[in-house]
């Protein structure tokens, strides 16, 4: 099995690689490899940052909703409604059958 090949048939890509190799003195393969590594590193870093930001946003949203839930729970407790609800003992006998 031979060496893997990458054949890019795009005039602008070819022009950019040639321009870059003239500036750096690298081979086309080195220039493409280095450019791909740099781009890949940037993409990974951006995605990690976005994931971290998304996690933080989710945490803030959860805390906001949780505060609302706590307020609703406190309001229900004040009404005494929770003390008047049925439990399994109210609905079923000792054998698990409906009363």
């Amino acid at each position: 099995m031979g060496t893997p090949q990458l054949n890019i048939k795009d005039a602008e890509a070819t022009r950019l690689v040639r321009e870059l190799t003239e500036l750096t003195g690298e081979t086309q393969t080195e220039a493409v490899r280095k450019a791909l590594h740099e781009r890949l590193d940037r993409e990974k870093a951006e995605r990690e940052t976005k994931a971290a930001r998304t996690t933080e946003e989710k945490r803030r949203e959860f805390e906001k909703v949780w505060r609302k839930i706590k307020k609703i729970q406190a309001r229900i407790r004040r009404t005494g409604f929770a003390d008047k609800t049925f439990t399994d003992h109210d609905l079923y006998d000792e054998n698990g059958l409906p009363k």
Side-chain angles (χ1 to χ4, degrees):
M1 182 170 173
T3 303
Q5 297 290 316
L6 177 65
N7 188 0
I8 300 172
K9 295 181 180 183
D10 181 81
E12 184 179 8
T14 302
R15 181 188 62 74
L16 290 170
V17 170
R18 286 187 179 143
E19 185 177 344
L20 183 60
T21 59
E22 287 176 18
L23 289 172
T24 64
E26 299 168 322
T27 65
Q28 289 184 359
T29 300
E30 290 169 330
V32 170
R33 184 185 306 115
K34 187 174 180 180
L36 290 170
H37 275 290
E38 290 172 2
R39 171 82 187 275
L40 188 56
D41 290 344
R42 279 194 316 273
E43 287 291 330
K44 285 179 179 179
E46 286 175 17
R47 289 166 194 255
E48 287 173 8
T49 300
K50 183 178 179 183
R53 188 175 342 117
T54 301
T55 300
E56 178 63 21
E57 288 169 358
K58 286 178 183 177
R59 185 189 61 75
R60 279 194 303 254
E61 181 64 22
F62 171 80
E63 288 175 359
K64 181 180 173 183
V65 171
W66 187 246
R67 283 191 299 273
K68 290 180 182 179
I69 290 170
K70 291 293 211 179
K71 287 179 183 179
I72 293 168
Q73 288 175 331
R75 206 168 55 230
I76 290 171
R77 272 191 227 96
R78 283 193 304 271
T79 66
F81 178 76
D83 299 333
K84 299 174 189 171
T85 59
F86 289 112
T87 66
D88 287 348
H89 297 296
D90 298 316
L91 302 173
Y92 302 98
D93 66 15
E94 62 278 353
N95 298 315
L97 298 172
K99 289 186 177 179

